[in-house]
Each structure stands twice: as C-alpha cells, then as structure tokens.
Amino acid sequence: MHLNLFIQSRGHHEASWRHPGSSRLPLTDIRYTIELARKAEAALFDSIFLADVLGLWNDVEKTPFNWLEPITTLGALATTTERIGLIATASTTYTEPYNLARQFASLDHISNGRIGWNIVTTWSPQAGSNFGGIGQVSHADRYERAEEYMAVVKGLWDSWADDAVLDDREGGRYADPKRVKRVDHVGPHYQVAGPLNMPRPPQGRPVLVQAGSSDTGKRFAARHAEAVFTAHLEMATAKAFYADLKSLVGEYGRQPKDVLILPGFSPIIGSTEAEAKRYGDELNALTDVEIGRQRMSLRFGGHDFSHLPLDTPLSADDFPDPRDNDASRSRTEVIVGFVRQERPTLRQLLAKLAGARGHFVFEGTPEQVADLMEDWVRDGAADGFNLMPPVLPDMLDVFIAEVVPLLRRRGLFRTSYEGRTLRSHLGLSRPASPPAA
Ligand SMILES: Cc1cc2nc3c(=O)[nH]c(=O)nc-3n(C[C@H](O)[C@H](O)[C@H](O)COP(=O)(O)O)c2cc1C
C-alpha cells in the first residue's frame, strides 16, 4: 500500500485552522511544512504533496490555504528530508514548459531523485484573470495544450543522455555534445528549441502525477501519469474509476501496474466510534455554510446556488450539468452523483464537502480505518491513499501512532525504505536514457 501525505492549510477540513488540534505556527512559516514532511518520512510514507491554485479565492476571511509557493517549498524540503518523495502541483496552462522542465529537473537533482510533478491544467477561474487577462481557457483547450506541453517537457528531460557529462579534467572535455540533443519542437502552442540547460534528472524524469478524473482527464492520465490522485465520496465510484483507468492504460500500450491510483482519504480517528464522531461534530460546528456554498459555486464555474434552501432534500436538477462545466468537471460529477444517490439537504451536502472537498471522509477507530484501507486495496478501489488528515498535525499524529502499526502488522505497509528515489518507493521503472544523437 502506498501512502502520500497531502499537506494543505492546517488540515483538510474547512475549519481545521480554528481547531485546537491544529498547529499554531503561521502558515507562512516553513518549519510547519518541514515538521509535517519529517513526520511522514519517519513513518516511511512514499511522499508528501503540495497543491497550488494560482489565485486567491474570495473566502480568505474565513479559510486559509497553503500560502508558500510549492516549487520553492519543495526546494526547502529537499534539503531538510532525506528519503521521502516530494510532489508539487504546477500548471500546464499557466507556465512555460522550458521553465517548468528546468525547475523540476533542478529539484530532482537537489533531492537526489525524490521529485514528482502533479500535472494540472488549472480549473479555477481566478487563475485565468491573473495570467494575461485572457480569462479561463476551456476544459477541452486546456487538455489539448497539456498534451503538447507533455511532449515538450519529456523531450527536454530526455535532451541529455544519462552519460552525457564526462567531467574529464585530464582530457579537457566536460560533456559529450553527441549526447546532448536539441528538441526543435514547433507546435500550435509552443516553439521550443532546447536542449535543456541541465543534465538529465536522477530519476530520468520526475514521477508524473495527475489528478483530472473527467473522461478527457482519464485519457490524459492513461497516456502520461504514473500516479493518479482522485476524489470519491463512495467506494463504489472509486472502484469503477480504478477499473476504468487501469483498462484505459492498456489502450496506450502501458501496463496497469505502471499507473498507481491513490484516492483521497480523510480519516477522523477516535479510540471509540463515539469519540471519532465527537471530533467530526466539533469540526463541523466550526464551519460556515455560506463559505461552503461559495466554494461549491466555484467548482461549478461560478454557478449561483444562493436560492437553494438549506434543509430541503436536493435533486440532480438543482445543479448544472457537469458535462457543460469548464471548471472542475470531475469533482462536480462526484457531487451530482452523490446527490442523485443520497438526496441530501444542502446543509448535509455542504457538511460532507467541508470535510475534504469531496474526498472520502470516514469517522472510526484505528481498526476500522485500517479495515477500510485494506478493503479498498484488496477490492480494486486503490493502490494506496492520498492521506488528507482533517486536522494537522493532530490527525496525522494519531494516524501514524495508531493506524500505521496495524497496516504493518497486516503486511500491508513497508517497515523500512528500500530505495532512495520516489520511483523506487512507488515501484516505478526509470525511463530509459535516450540514445546518442
Ligand atoms: C487530490 C487532488 C489534488 C488536486 N490538486 C490540484 C491543484 O493543486 N491545482 C489544481 O488546479 N487542480 C488540482 N486538482 C484538480 C484536478 O487537477 C483537475 O483540474 C480537476 O479535477 C478538473 O479536471 P477534470 O475535469 O479533468 O477532472 C486536484 C485534484 C485532486 C483529486
């Protein structure tokens, strides 16, 4: 079982920042992130992950986010941790491929091969208005650009063969120019000559992670991703996603084991069920339903939900069709699917989403949490989890102290790191060195 710690705010519950179990350090203090990464490393997690949304949401009065920019933060983590993998989001829509390829190659060198890139096309409408004022790029266009972007960055990482650097002091040759080749990419969105101005990263390429779950997103993942983050409110949809993506991977000439699927999981753990429930209730009591309403509106591209009463059962007709959504399409599919199935009131739905924004939330004892994780992995819903503690560090500490030993006792989780790279932790092969030019 693979475990990634998703570090966000003071925890993934909307109200975590106010909870007594969350850290008192300012969210701009790098010690906060370093301490969490070191805890996850001591517990032998595969990796940590930092998200990024390229804009300030309009709810800052009520909720914080991760303020530190993720790529520079990984630089700090790379020198303060030793073994754990380090993954950050960067956008294909709002960055240039040459710069991104250098930043991630550079981080892979600095960390000695522990870097992963979470490839996003950026769904949030705010991002568009911060980059050139062109507004939001449509869902289809974002993925089309991303496809070309991937060809460029892969070409750049492969522009140096593994053995291109000779560093031959006596012979007076630093590098073999036959082993460093141009990219000469000319496409509709990018023109990049290359080569990269840096030797090949230790992992060949950083681990490619992806988190889009729409049909287009899944096809993109099947072609490029080596690990996939995904959000589900129920095990049934997680299983269907798992089966679907693993079979799509075959269509692109890859093996199912080449892509690891890591659904988000936010456990609220108590020594008894009642204690876990109390903790969950405490968190929910600190939330503001109007913030939940605004956040849901953002997911649906700004759709107005202000007229919906809080305590009447919802139906799918209360929501716009996710297929027409240019923002967070797959997450809106998860939300509408849940409404169709469960008919919650708006208040109930918002409480569900406040837990972890549409990821799976579970309240229970350590044994129940371990049972659930074991079931998901054994029944083909997951290869591991993107752990999203509702409160940081409190619920991470409890997970590490109480659940990790149970997973180990059941032979489900490692007892030592075997390798030194993120590829090795995840059991992924290293892309072959390109041949000489
Ligand atoms: C665990 C997880 C983390 C994500 N992190 C980011 C992120 O950091 N930045 C971002 O813009 N989108 C992020 N997303 C959103 C997806 O990348 C994707 O844009 C979104 O699901 C909409 O695309 P889709 O309609 O293809 O699913 C994340 C999704 C998941 C499940």
Short mmCIF file of all heavy atoms in Angstrom, two decimals, residues 167-229:
data_model
loop_
_atom_site.label_atom_id
_atom_site.label_comp_id
_atom_site.label_asym_id
_atom_site.label_seq_id
_atom_site.Cartn_x
_atom_site.Cartn_y
_atom_site.Cartn_z
N ASP A 167 32.96 15.14 -17.48
CA ASP A 167 33.74 15.77 -16.40
C ASP A 167 35.19 15.26 -16.41
O ASP A 167 35.73 14.88 -15.37
CB ASP A 167 33.05 15.52 -15.05
CG ASP A 167 33.37 16.62 -14.04
OD1 ASP A 167 34.13 17.55 -14.38
OD2 ASP A 167 32.84 16.54 -12.91
N ASP A 168 35.77 15.23 -17.60
CA ASP A 168 37.12 14.67 -17.79
C ASP A 168 38.14 15.80 -17.69
O ASP A 168 38.40 16.51 -18.66
CB ASP A 168 37.13 13.98 -19.17
CG ASP A 168 38.51 13.46 -19.55
OD1 ASP A 168 39.44 13.58 -18.72
OD2 ASP A 168 38.64 12.96 -20.68
N ARG A 169 38.70 15.96 -16.52
CA ARG A 169 39.64 17.07 -16.30
C ARG A 169 40.90 16.91 -17.13
O ARG A 169 41.40 17.86 -17.72
CB ARG A 169 40.02 17.15 -14.82
CG ARG A 169 38.87 17.60 -13.95
CD ARG A 169 39.25 17.45 -12.48
NE ARG A 169 38.08 17.67 -11.67
CZ ARG A 169 37.92 18.72 -10.85
NH1 ARG A 169 38.87 19.61 -10.71
NH2 ARG A 169 36.83 18.85 -10.15
N GLU A 170 41.43 15.67 -17.15
CA GLU A 170 42.69 15.47 -17.88
C GLU A 170 42.49 15.69 -19.37
O GLU A 170 43.24 16.39 -20.04
CB GLU A 170 43.25 14.04 -17.68
CG GLU A 170 43.90 13.83 -16.33
CD GLU A 170 42.84 13.63 -15.24
OE1 GLU A 170 41.86 12.92 -15.50
OE2 GLU A 170 42.97 14.24 -14.16
N GLY A 171 41.42 15.10 -19.90
CA GLY A 171 41.16 15.18 -21.35
C GLY A 171 40.57 16.53 -21.78
O GLY A 171 40.48 16.82 -22.97
N GLY A 172 40.11 17.31 -20.81
CA GLY A 172 39.58 18.64 -21.13
C GLY A 172 38.20 18.63 -21.80
O GLY A 172 37.87 19.53 -22.56
N ARG A 173 37.41 17.60 -21.50
CA ARG A 173 36.05 17.58 -22.07
C ARG A 173 35.04 17.49 -20.93
O ARG A 173 35.04 16.51 -20.18
CB ARG A 173 35.86 16.38 -23.00
CG ARG A 173 36.70 16.48 -24.27
CD ARG A 173 36.43 15.27 -25.12
NE ARG A 173 35.22 15.41 -25.92
CZ ARG A 173 34.41 14.41 -26.25
NH1 ARG A 173 34.65 13.19 -25.79
NH2 ARG A 173 33.37 14.63 -27.02
N TYR A 174 34.15 18.50 -20.83
CA TYR A 174 33.14 18.45 -19.77
C TYR A 174 31.97 17.54 -20.16
O TYR A 174 31.51 16.72 -19.36
CB TYR A 174 32.62 19.85 -19.41
CG TYR A 174 31.59 19.73 -18.31
CD1 TYR A 174 31.99 19.44 -17.01
CD2 TYR A 174 30.24 19.81 -18.59
CE1 TYR A 174 31.07 19.24 -16.01
CE2 TYR A 174 29.30 19.61 -17.58
CZ TYR A 174 29.72 19.32 -16.29
OH TYR A 174 28.80 19.11 -15.31
N ALA A 175 31.46 17.71 -21.38
CA ALA A 175 30.30 16.91 -21.80
C ALA A 175 30.50 16.44 -23.24
O ALA A 175 31.26 17.05 -24.00
CB ALA A 175 29.03 17.73 -21.69
N ASP A 176 29.82 15.37 -23.61
CA ASP A 176 29.88 14.84 -24.97
C ASP A 176 28.73 15.46 -25.77
O ASP A 176 27.56 15.11 -25.54
CB ASP A 176 29.75 13.32 -24.91
CG ASP A 176 29.77 12.70 -26.30
OD1 ASP A 176 29.72 13.45 -27.30
OD2 ASP A 176 29.82 11.46 -26.37
N PRO A 177 29.01 16.36 -26.70
CA PRO A 177 27.91 17.05 -27.39
C PRO A 177 27.04 16.10 -28.20
O PRO A 177 25.88 16.43 -28.48
CB PRO A 177 28.64 18.05 -28.30
CG PRO A 177 30.05 17.62 -28.35
CD PRO A 177 30.34 16.77 -27.15
N LYS A 178 27.55 14.92 -28.54
CA LYS A 178 26.72 13.95 -29.26
C LYS A 178 25.62 13.39 -28.37
O LYS A 178 24.69 12.76 -28.84
CB LYS A 178 27.59 12.79 -29.77
CG LYS A 178 28.52 13.16 -30.89
CD LYS A 178 28.84 11.90 -31.71
CE LYS A 178 29.81 12.18 -32.83
NZ LYS A 178 31.11 12.67 -32.32
N ARG A 179 25.81 13.58 -27.09
CA ARG A 179 24.83 13.03 -26.15
C ARG A 179 23.92 14.11 -25.56
O ARG A 179 23.21 13.88 -24.59
CB ARG A 179 25.55 12.24 -25.05
CG ARG A 179 26.30 11.09 -25.65
CD ARG A 179 26.79 10.08 -24.67
NE ARG A 179 27.16 8.87 -25.39
CZ ARG A 179 26.31 7.88 -25.66
NH1 ARG A 179 25.07 7.95 -25.27
NH2 ARG A 179 26.71 6.83 -26.32
N VAL A 180 23.96 15.27 -26.15
CA VAL A 180 23.05 16.36 -25.75
C VAL A 180 22.37 16.82 -27.03
O VAL A 180 23.04 17.29 -27.95
CB VAL A 180 23.83 17.54 -25.12
CG1 VAL A 180 22.86 18.63 -24.68
CG2 VAL A 180 24.68 17.06 -23.94
N LYS A 181 21.03 16.64 -27.12
CA LYS A 181 20.39 16.95 -28.41
C LYS A 181 19.31 18.01 -28.26
O LYS A 181 18.70 18.16 -27.20
CB LYS A 181 19.85 15.68 -29.05
CG LYS A 181 18.75 14.98 -28.27
CD LYS A 181 18.26 13.79 -29.06
CE LYS A 181 16.98 13.17 -28.58
NZ LYS A 181 16.70 12.99 -27.19
N ARG A 182 19.09 18.70 -29.36
CA ARG A 182 18.03 19.72 -29.37
C ARG A 182 16.66 19.05 -29.38
O ARG A 182 16.54 17.86 -29.64
CB ARG A 182 18.17 20.55 -30.65
CG ARG A 182 19.38 21.47 -30.64
CD ARG A 182 19.65 21.98 -32.04
NE ARG A 182 18.58 22.84 -32.52
CZ ARG A 182 18.55 24.17 -32.40
NH1 ARG A 182 19.54 24.78 -31.79
NH2 ARG A 182 17.55 24.88 -32.87
N VAL A 183 15.64 19.84 -29.11
CA VAL A 183 14.27 19.33 -29.12
C VAL A 183 13.58 19.76 -30.41
O VAL A 183 12.85 18.98 -31.03
CB VAL A 183 13.51 19.84 -27.88
CG1 VAL A 183 12.04 19.49 -27.95
CG2 VAL A 183 14.12 19.27 -26.61
N ASP A 184 13.82 21.00 -30.81
CA ASP A 184 13.25 21.56 -32.04
C ASP A 184 11.76 21.29 -32.17
O ASP A 184 11.28 20.81 -33.19
CB ASP A 184 14.01 21.03 -33.27
CG ASP A 184 15.38 21.69 -33.41
OD1 ASP A 184 15.51 22.86 -32.98
OD2 ASP A 184 16.32 21.04 -33.89
N HIS A 185 11.03 21.62 -31.11
CA HIS A 185 9.58 21.44 -31.15
C HIS A 185 8.90 22.68 -31.74
O HIS A 185 9.15 23.80 -31.28
CB HIS A 185 9.04 21.20 -29.73
CG HIS A 185 7.56 21.13 -29.69
ND1 HIS A 185 6.86 19.95 -29.84
CD2 HIS A 185 6.61 22.11 -29.55
CE1 HIS A 185 5.56 20.21 -29.80
NE2 HIS A 185 5.38 21.50 -29.62
N VAL A 186 8.06 22.46 -32.73
CA VAL A 186 7.26 23.56 -33.27
C VAL A 186 5.82 23.06 -33.33
O VAL A 186 5.50 22.14 -34.07
CB VAL A 186 7.73 23.96 -34.69
CG1 VAL A 186 6.86 25.09 -35.24
CG2 VAL A 186 9.19 24.38 -34.67
N GLY A 187 4.97 23.63 -32.48
CA GLY A 187 3.58 23.18 -32.45
C GLY A 187 2.66 24.38 -32.38
O GLY A 187 3.13 25.53 -32.37
N PRO A 188 1.34 24.17 -32.29
CA PRO A 188 0.41 25.29 -32.26
C PRO A 188 0.58 26.19 -31.04
O PRO A 188 0.34 27.39 -31.11
CB PRO A 188 -0.97 24.63 -32.26
CG PRO A 188 -0.76 23.16 -32.13
CD PRO A 188 0.70 22.87 -32.36
N HIS A 189 1.01 25.63 -29.91
CA HIS A 189 1.11 26.45 -28.69
C HIS A 189 2.54 26.74 -28.26
O HIS A 189 2.78 27.73 -27.56
CB HIS A 189 0.37 25.77 -27.54
CG HIS A 189 -1.07 25.48 -27.85
ND1 HIS A 189 -1.99 26.48 -28.00
CD2 HIS A 189 -1.73 24.32 -28.07
CE1 HIS A 189 -3.17 25.95 -28.28
NE2 HIS A 189 -3.03 24.64 -28.34
N TYR A 190 3.47 25.88 -28.60
CA TYR A 190 4.83 26.04 -28.09
C TYR A 190 5.87 25.87 -29.19
O TYR A 190 5.71 24.99 -30.06
CB TYR A 190 5.11 24.99 -26.98
CG TYR A 190 4.09 25.08 -25.86
CD1 TYR A 190 3.09 24.12 -25.75
CD2 TYR A 190 4.12 26.13 -24.96
CE1 TYR A 190 2.13 24.22 -24.74
CE2 TYR A 190 3.17 26.24 -23.96
CZ TYR A 190 2.17 25.28 -23.85
OH TYR A 190 1.23 25.39 -22.88
N GLN A 191 6.88 26.70 -29.13
CA GLN A 191 8.04 26.55 -30.00
C GLN A 191 9.26 26.52 -29.09
O GLN A 191 9.56 27.53 -28.43
CB GLN A 191 8.16 27.72 -30.99
CG GLN A 191 7.07 27.76 -32.06
CD GLN A 191 5.79 28.43 -31.58
OE1 GLN A 191 5.84 29.48 -30.97
NE2 GLN A 191 4.65 27.80 -31.83
N VAL A 192 9.89 25.37 -29.01
CA VAL A 192 10.99 25.20 -28.05
C VAL A 192 12.15 24.50 -28.73
O VAL A 192 12.02 23.35 -29.18
CB VAL A 192 10.53 24.38 -26.82
CG1 VAL A 192 11.68 24.21 -25.83
CG2 VAL A 192 9.34 25.04 -26.14
N ALA A 193 13.30 25.16 -28.78
CA ALA A 193 14.46 24.58 -29.46
C ALA A 193 15.18 23.57 -28.57
O ALA A 193 15.57 22.51 -29.04
CB ALA A 193 15.41 25.70 -29.88
N GLY A 194 15.37 23.90 -27.28
CA GLY A 194 16.16 23.04 -26.42
C GLY A 194 17.61 23.08 -26.85
O GLY A 194 17.97 23.88 -27.72
N PRO A 195 18.47 22.22 -26.33
CA PRO A 195 18.20 21.28 -25.24
C PRO A 195 18.02 22.00 -23.90
O PRO A 195 18.17 23.22 -23.83
CB PRO A 195 19.47 20.41 -25.22
CG PRO A 195 20.51 21.16 -25.97
CD PRO A 195 19.85 22.21 -26.80
N LEU A 196 17.70 21.21 -22.86
CA LEU A 196 17.61 21.76 -21.50
C LEU A 196 19.01 22.21 -21.08
O LEU A 196 20.00 21.60 -21.51
CB LEU A 196 17.08 20.68 -20.55
CG LEU A 196 16.50 21.15 -19.22
CD1 LEU A 196 15.27 22.02 -19.44
CD2 LEU A 196 16.11 19.97 -18.34
N ASN A 197 19.09 23.24 -20.25
CA ASN A 197 20.42 23.71 -19.83
C ASN A 197 20.84 23.04 -18.53
O ASN A 197 21.33 23.69 -17.61
CB ASN A 197 20.44 25.24 -19.72
CG ASN A 197 19.37 25.75 -18.78
OD1 ASN A 197 18.52 24.99 -18.32
ND2 ASN A 197 19.40 27.04 -18.48
N MET A 198 20.64 21.73 -18.48
CA MET A 198 20.96 21.00 -17.24
C MET A 198 21.00 19.50 -17.53
O MET A 198 20.17 19.01 -18.30
CB MET A 198 19.82 21.26 -16.25
CG MET A 198 20.05 20.73 -14.87
SD MET A 198 18.54 20.93 -13.89
CE MET A 198 18.07 22.61 -14.25
N PRO A 199 21.94 18.77 -16.95
CA PRO A 199 21.98 17.32 -17.19
C PRO A 199 20.69 16.62 -16.76
O PRO A 199 19.92 17.14 -15.95
CB PRO A 199 23.17 16.85 -16.35
CG PRO A 199 24.03 18.06 -16.22
CD PRO A 199 23.08 19.23 -16.15
N ARG A 200 20.51 15.41 -17.32
CA ARG A 200 19.28 14.65 -17.07
C ARG A 200 19.04 14.45 -15.57
O ARG A 200 19.98 14.17 -14.81
CB ARG A 200 19.43 13.28 -17.76
CG ARG A 200 18.13 12.55 -17.95
CD ARG A 200 18.26 11.53 -19.08
NE ARG A 200 16.95 11.09 -19.48
CZ ARG A 200 16.43 9.90 -19.17
NH1 ARG A 200 17.13 9.03 -18.50
NH2 ARG A 200 15.21 9.60 -19.56
N PRO A 201 17.78 14.54 -15.14
CA PRO A 201 17.48 14.35 -13.70
C PRO A 201 17.82 12.92 -13.25
O PRO A 201 17.79 11.99 -14.06
CB PRO A 201 15.97 14.57 -13.62
CG PRO A 201 15.56 15.21 -14.90
CD PRO A 201 16.59 14.87 -15.93
N PRO A 202 18.14 12.77 -11.96
CA PRO A 202 18.50 11.44 -11.44
C PRO A 202 17.44 10.37 -11.74
O PRO A 202 17.79 9.22 -12.01
CB PRO A 202 18.62 11.65 -9.93
CG PRO A 202 18.87 13.11 -9.76
CD PRO A 202 18.25 13.82 -10.92
N GLN A 203 16.15 10.74 -11.71
CA GLN A 203 15.12 9.74 -11.99
C GLN A 203 14.84 9.61 -13.50
O GLN A 203 13.88 8.96 -13.90
CB GLN A 203 13.80 10.10 -11.29
CG GLN A 203 13.90 10.04 -9.77
CD GLN A 203 12.55 10.27 -9.12
OE1 GLN A 203 11.90 9.34 -8.65
NE2 GLN A 203 12.10 11.50 -9.09
N GLY A 204 15.65 10.24 -14.32
CA GLY A 204 15.37 10.26 -15.76
C GLY A 204 14.35 11.35 -16.02
O GLY A 204 14.63 12.36 -16.65
N ARG A 205 13.18 11.16 -15.52
CA ARG A 205 12.15 12.20 -15.48
C ARG A 205 11.56 12.17 -14.08
O ARG A 205 11.49 11.11 -13.47
CB ARG A 205 11.02 11.88 -16.48
CG ARG A 205 11.48 11.83 -17.92
CD ARG A 205 10.33 11.33 -18.78
NE ARG A 205 10.75 11.12 -20.16
CZ ARG A 205 10.04 10.43 -21.05
NH1 ARG A 205 8.87 9.90 -20.71
NH2 ARG A 205 10.48 10.28 -22.28
N PRO A 206 11.10 13.33 -13.59
CA PRO A 206 10.37 13.28 -12.31
C PRO A 206 9.16 12.34 -12.45
O PRO A 206 8.68 12.12 -13.57
CB PRO A 206 9.88 14.72 -12.12
CG PRO A 206 10.52 15.54 -13.17
CD PRO A 206 11.08 14.64 -14.22
N VAL A 207 8.66 11.82 -11.34
CA VAL A 207 7.45 10.99 -11.40
C VAL A 207 6.29 11.89 -11.85
O VAL A 207 6.12 12.99 -11.33
CB VAL A 207 7.15 10.36 -10.03
CG1 VAL A 207 5.80 9.66 -10.03
CG2 VAL A 207 8.27 9.38 -9.64
N LEU A 208 5.52 11.40 -12.81
CA LEU A 208 4.42 12.21 -13.34
C LEU A 208 3.12 11.81 -12.64
O LEU A 208 2.68 10.66 -12.71
CB LEU A 208 4.30 12.01 -14.85
CG LEU A 208 5.54 12.42 -15.65
CD1 LEU A 208 5.34 12.16 -17.14
CD2 LEU A 208 5.88 13.89 -15.41
N VAL A 209 2.55 12.77 -11.95
CA VAL A 209 1.32 12.54 -11.19
C VAL A 209 0.24 13.37 -11.86
O VAL A 209 0.53 14.40 -12.48
CB VAL A 209 1.51 13.01 -9.72
CG1 VAL A 209 0.28 12.72 -8.89
CG2 VAL A 209 2.73 12.36 -9.12
N GLN A 210 -1.02 12.91 -11.77
CA GLN A 210 -2.09 13.65 -12.45
C GLN A 210 -3.34 13.51 -11.61
O GLN A 210 -3.52 12.54 -10.90
CB GLN A 210 -2.27 13.04 -13.84
CG GLN A 210 -2.92 13.94 -14.87
CD GLN A 210 -4.42 13.72 -14.91
OE1 GLN A 210 -4.94 12.87 -14.21
NE2 GLN A 210 -5.11 14.48 -15.74
N ALA A 211 -4.22 14.51 -11.72
CA ALA A 211 -5.40 14.48 -10.85
C ALA A 211 -6.68 14.92 -11.54
O ALA A 211 -7.59 15.40 -10.89
CB ALA A 211 -5.15 15.34 -9.61
N GLY A 212 -6.76 14.79 -12.82
CA GLY A 212 -8.02 15.07 -13.52
C GLY A 212 -8.77 13.76 -13.70
O GLY A 212 -8.17 12.75 -14.08
N SER A 213 -10.05 13.75 -13.43
CA SER A 213 -10.80 12.49 -13.47
C SER A 213 -11.94 12.51 -14.48
O SER A 213 -12.71 11.57 -14.56
CB SER A 213 -11.37 12.17 -12.09
OG SER A 213 -10.34 11.82 -11.21
N SER A 214 -12.10 13.60 -15.25
CA SER A 214 -13.12 13.59 -16.31
C SER A 214 -12.68 12.60 -17.38
O SER A 214 -11.57 12.08 -17.32
CB SER A 214 -13.21 14.99 -16.93
OG SER A 214 -11.97 15.31 -17.55
N ASP A 215 -13.52 12.35 -18.37
CA ASP A 215 -13.12 11.42 -19.44
C ASP A 215 -11.83 11.86 -20.09
O ASP A 215 -10.91 11.07 -20.29
CB ASP A 215 -14.23 11.31 -20.49
CG ASP A 215 -15.24 10.27 -20.06
OD1 ASP A 215 -14.91 9.49 -19.15
OD2 ASP A 215 -16.36 10.26 -20.62
N THR A 216 -11.76 13.15 -20.43
CA THR A 216 -10.53 13.66 -21.06
C THR A 216 -9.37 13.53 -20.09
O THR A 216 -8.25 13.16 -20.48
CB THR A 216 -10.69 15.16 -21.42
OG1 THR A 216 -12.06 15.43 -21.69
CG2 THR A 216 -9.83 15.55 -22.57
N GLY A 217 -9.63 13.84 -18.82
CA GLY A 217 -8.59 13.76 -17.79
C GLY A 217 -8.08 12.33 -17.65
O GLY A 217 -6.88 12.10 -17.51
N LYS A 218 -8.99 11.36 -17.68
CA LYS A 218 -8.58 9.96 -17.53
C LYS A 218 -7.72 9.50 -18.71
O LYS A 218 -6.75 8.78 -18.53
CB LYS A 218 -9.82 9.06 -17.43
CG LYS A 218 -10.25 8.85 -16.00
CD LYS A 218 -11.30 7.80 -15.86
CE LYS A 218 -12.62 8.25 -16.43
NZ LYS A 218 -13.80 7.67 -15.86
N ARG A 219 -8.10 9.92 -19.91
CA ARG A 219 -7.30 9.54 -21.09
C ARG A 219 -5.91 10.16 -21.01
O ARG A 219 -4.91 9.55 -21.37
CB ARG A 219 -7.99 9.95 -22.39
CG ARG A 219 -9.21 9.11 -22.65
CD ARG A 219 -9.71 9.11 -24.07
NE ARG A 219 -10.74 8.08 -24.16
CZ ARG A 219 -10.49 6.83 -24.53
NH1 ARG A 219 -9.29 6.46 -24.91
NH2 ARG A 219 -11.45 5.94 -24.54
N PHE A 220 -5.87 11.39 -20.53
CA PHE A 220 -4.58 12.07 -20.35
C PHE A 220 -3.74 11.28 -19.33
O PHE A 220 -2.55 11.01 -19.55
CB PHE A 220 -4.83 13.50 -19.87
CG PHE A 220 -3.59 14.32 -19.71
CD1 PHE A 220 -3.09 15.05 -20.78
CD2 PHE A 220 -2.92 14.36 -18.50
CE1 PHE A 220 -1.93 15.81 -20.64
CE2 PHE A 220 -1.77 15.12 -18.35
CZ PHE A 220 -1.28 15.85 -19.42
N ALA A 221 -4.38 10.88 -18.24
CA ALA A 221 -3.68 10.11 -17.21
C ALA A 221 -3.19 8.78 -17.79
O ALA A 221 -2.07 8.34 -17.52
CB ALA A 221 -4.60 9.85 -16.02
N ALA A 222 -4.04 8.13 -18.59
CA ALA A 222 -3.67 6.82 -19.13
C ALA A 222 -2.44 6.93 -20.02
O ALA A 222 -1.65 6.00 -20.13
CB ALA A 222 -4.85 6.24 -19.91
N ARG A 223 -2.26 8.07 -20.66
CA ARG A 223 -1.09 8.26 -21.54
C ARG A 223 0.16 8.65 -20.75
O ARG A 223 1.25 8.20 -21.07
CB ARG A 223 -1.39 9.35 -22.58
CG ARG A 223 -2.19 8.88 -23.76
CD ARG A 223 -2.16 9.90 -24.89
NE ARG A 223 -2.88 11.12 -24.54
CZ ARG A 223 -4.19 11.29 -24.67
NH1 ARG A 223 -4.92 10.29 -25.16
NH2 ARG A 223 -4.78 12.41 -24.33
N HIS A 224 -0.02 9.50 -19.73
CA HIS A 224 1.17 10.13 -19.13
C HIS A 224 1.43 9.80 -17.66
O HIS A 224 2.56 9.84 -17.22
CB HIS A 224 1.07 11.66 -19.24
CG HIS A 224 0.91 12.15 -20.64
ND1 HIS A 224 1.93 12.09 -21.55
CD2 HIS A 224 -0.15 12.67 -21.29
CE1 HIS A 224 1.50 12.58 -22.72
NE2 HIS A 224 0.24 12.93 -22.58
N ALA A 225 0.37 9.56 -16.89
CA ALA A 225 0.54 9.55 -15.43
C ALA A 225 1.17 8.26 -14.94
O ALA A 225 0.95 7.19 -15.51
CB ALA A 225 -0.81 9.75 -14.74
N GLU A 226 1.92 8.39 -13.86
CA GLU A 226 2.47 7.21 -13.17
C GLU A 226 1.79 7.05 -11.81
O GLU A 226 1.81 5.97 -11.22
CB GLU A 226 3.98 7.38 -13.02
CG GLU A 226 4.62 7.46 -14.40
CD GLU A 226 6.09 7.80 -14.36
OE1 GLU A 226 6.42 8.95 -13.98
OE2 GLU A 226 6.91 6.95 -14.72
N ALA A 227 1.21 8.11 -11.32
CA ALA A 227 0.36 8.04 -10.13
C ALA A 227 -0.80 9.01 -10.34
O ALA A 227 -0.63 10.05 -10.98
CB ALA A 227 1.14 8.43 -8.88
N VAL A 228 -1.97 8.64 -9.83
CA VAL A 228 -3.17 9.44 -10.06
C VAL A 228 -3.86 9.72 -8.73
O VAL A 228 -4.13 8.80 -7.96
CB VAL A 228 -4.13 8.70 -11.02
CG1 VAL A 228 -5.49 9.35 -11.04
CG2 VAL A 228 -3.54 8.67 -12.43
N PHE A 229 -4.10 11.00 -8.45
CA PHE A 229 -4.92 11.39 -7.30
C PHE A 229 -6.36 11.49 -7.79
O PHE A 229 -6.60 12.01 -8.89
CB PHE A 229 -4.51 12.76 -6.78
CG PHE A 229 -3.12 12.84 -6.19
CD1 PHE A 229 -2.34 13.97 -6.38
CD2 PHE A 229 -2.61 11.80 -5.43
CE1 PHE A 229 -1.07 14.07 -5.82
CE2 PHE A 229 -1.33 11.89 -4.87
CZ PHE A 229 -0.56 13.04 -5.07
#
